[in-house]
Amino acid sequence: MSKLRLLFDRFTLILIVVVIAASVVPAHGLGAVFFEWLTTAAIALLFFLHGAKLSREAIIAGAMHWRLHGVVFLWTFVIFPILGWMLRPVLLPLLGEPLYIGVVYLCVLPGTVQSAIAFTSIARGNVPAAVCAASASSIVGIVITPLLLQFMLSADTQALGNSSLLGAILKISIQILLPFVLGHWMRPVIGPWMAKHRKLVVGVDQGSILLVVYTAFSESVISGLWQTVPPDALLMLFVVCCALLALVLILNTWSTRRLGFRRADEITIVFCGSKKSMATGVPMAQVLFSAAAIGPVLLPLMIFHQIQLMVCAVLAQHYLRSAPDASPARQAAV
């Protein structure tokens, strides 16, 4: 568990350094063109690897639990967006419109894949169902996220990009879904190699996200990001993200128990239904939002992402320790 937390801490520190670098030395001119092409390639590689990591056996084993997947889908694409919409009268005056749009975007995103499965495994939940639910969320989100965003921000034409909804979905599918499918198709060939080089795969995974963040923030800094978002708004955004995650976790856990799910399924629903994906959210934002809006849009996602990792790490350890058959030896091994 300490190694897991250390990895996230390092990634967070590097992420902060990347944002500072983009603020001080943003890519522009030919450099911006170069990073744009490099980012496109990095996104394709990122989702190619995600597809190659997905086991077909896990899909078949997990897909049978339709009731669990329905609840995860409900939290990810219905309750989360409703919360963002209902909190508008409170959040808009606190954060201002640019950051509130980012909170709305956060609420309509699909869930994470890698960390949701990792935490479910640590807490001894239903891992096959978590693999299926998290992967399905990412794939379905390619279509549902733009639709929800268009519906919730239809009045805000300045923040949303100029491309049509169908064009945005098509572009996202080419950037994300196509490499994902190709990676899964190539799994029998490259799967064993990836299993032997997990650290390299994680490095490529995180490096791709950092590259996309640098490119996106460079565009926003040139468009006046830090004139739009004052420091006090950032502090308030941190508080809002903490409150939003706490509300979702409490309601999610309570409702799952009321519905009578067994403990292993509860763990899967809690971790898959409360998390939002930065790996999917960052590249999708580049397609869906204008250059001026993309920086404020990504700030809520970046802050929420780190908070959810830290909280879920503690929560996973709590589930493990409170398991009916948990032994000190097994806990010490995590």
Side-chain angles (χ1 to χ4, degrees), residues 168-210:
I169 293 173
L170 181 61
K171 189 172 181 180
I172 292 169
S173 298
I174 293 172
Q175 284 191 354
I176 295 177
L177 183 59
L178 182 59
F180 186 92
V181 172
L182 289 175
H184 187 62
W185 180 64
M186 290 290 292
R187 175 179 168 80
V189 179
I190 65 175
W193 181 89
M194 291 180 62
K196 292 180 181 178
H197 301 84
R198 290 182 180 179
K199 290 185 178 180
L200 178 62
V201 172
V202 171
V204 173
D205 192 30
Q206 295 184 346
S208 301
I209 296 173
L210 294 171

Side-chain angles (χ1 to χ4, degrees), residues 11 15 18 39 42-43 46-47 50 114 202-216 277-280 282-283 298 302 305:
F11 182 67
L15 191 62
V18 167
T39 296
I43 292 170
L46 172 67
F47 283 92
H50 275 240
Q114 185 172 335
V202 171
V204 173
D205 192 30
Q206 295 184 346
S208 301
I209 296 173
L210 294 171
L211 181 61
V212 175
V213 167
Y214 175 76
T215 305
S277 174
M278 192 161 72
T280 304
V282 174
L298 289 180
M302 291 170 61
H305 183 266

